[in-house]
Amino acid sequence: MPQIILKINSSADKIYDSDKICCYLINQDVPLDKVAEATAIGKPVLMLNTTNAIADGCVVDVDSSLPIKTQIRPIREKIGNKKILGTIIEPSRHEAMLASETEPEFVAFRVTRENLIAAHDVIDWYNELFLIQSAADLSIESVDAKELNVDFVIINSQDYNDFSC
């Protein structure tokens, strides 16, 4: 059963604490007091597309229309190897290879109803070839991802009560 990365999108989102939640992914627009609230729970706090001194790392939401590595490498250089780096990419073998070459702690695949079958195939392929942990980003739309073989799922805080693993 995958662990949950709980995504906090606004100051109105509730920060849940559960054994199923391994860390928090906080949108860069969320006020610092909400970041501090998540940090106080004691689980890793990751910032989306930005670095923050009190955060435990960063997740880069990759734009497929731009060079993949040039979006990720500067963040890795800035945060160093002691902080967590994650990436969110389309379910594409090419993007998975490029993102993995930057040595993140995990690669998350954007999963939607439209690309669920393709995502399933890419994630299975990825898990056979790479030792880097995988995740399914379900924050765009809620889909039934029970068949996806991932280490983590990213879900929005507002979907937490309706989500079951």
Side-chain angles (χ1 to χ4, degrees):
M1 183 177 304
Q3 292 188 306
I4 295 172
I5 298 174
L6 193 68
K7 187 174 179 189
I8 309 300
N9 295 300
S10 73
S11 59
D13 284 350
K14 182 174 179 179
I15 298 177
Y16 294 92
D17 186 10
S18 163
D19 291 341
K20 294 179 181 179
I21 298 170
C22 65
C23 67
Y24 302 99
L25 174 58
I26 302 183
N27 190 311
Q28 61 191 6
D29 299 328
V30 171
L32 287 178
D33 62 329
K34 197 71 167 181
V35 176
E37 182 184 342
T39 302
I41 292 176
K43 295 181 182 182
V45 172
L46 310 175
M47 297 300 297
L48 184 62
N49 293 325
T50 189
T51 57
N52 179 312
I54 64 171
D56 298 295
C58 179
V59 175
V60 180
D61 191 354
V62 174
D63 180 345
S64 296
S65 68
L66 300 172
I68 306 293
K69 291 181 190 178
T70 59
Q71 295 175 69
I72 303 168
R73 277 202 176 123
I75 300 295
R76 172 51 89 197
E77 291 169 4
K78 185 172 183 177
I79 67 173
N81 289 324
K82 296 195 189 273
K83 291 199 174 196
I84 300 166
L85 175 64
T87 63
I88 301 173
I89 61 170
E90 292 299 321
S92 149
R93 289 180 181 199
H94 181 69
E95 286 191 30
M97 287 188 293
L98 293 173
S100 295
E101 288 176 2
T102 64
E103 299 180 4
E105 277 63 46
F106 68 90
V107 172
F109 298 91
R110 284 186 202 94
V111 179
T112 62
R113 285 182 191 95
E114 186 176 287
N115 73 13
L116 183 59
I117 294 170
H120 184 278
D121 293 342
V122 170
I123 291 167
D124 284 349
W125 166 85
Y126 177 85
N127 288 333
E128 286 180 23
L129 292 177
F130 294 93
L131 298 175
I132 298 169
Q133 293 181 310
S134 63
D137 180 4
L138 308 178
S139 66
I140 296 169
E141 75 180 299
S142 185
V143 298
D144 183 4
K146 290 178 186 154
E147 299 299 317
L148 296 176
N149 183 22
V150 292
D151 301 294
F152 310 104
V153 291
I154 300 172
I155 63 168
N156 294 312
S157 173
Q158 63 197 29
D159 298 329
Y160 180 76
N161 282 330
D162 297 328
F163 186 78
S164 62
C165 289

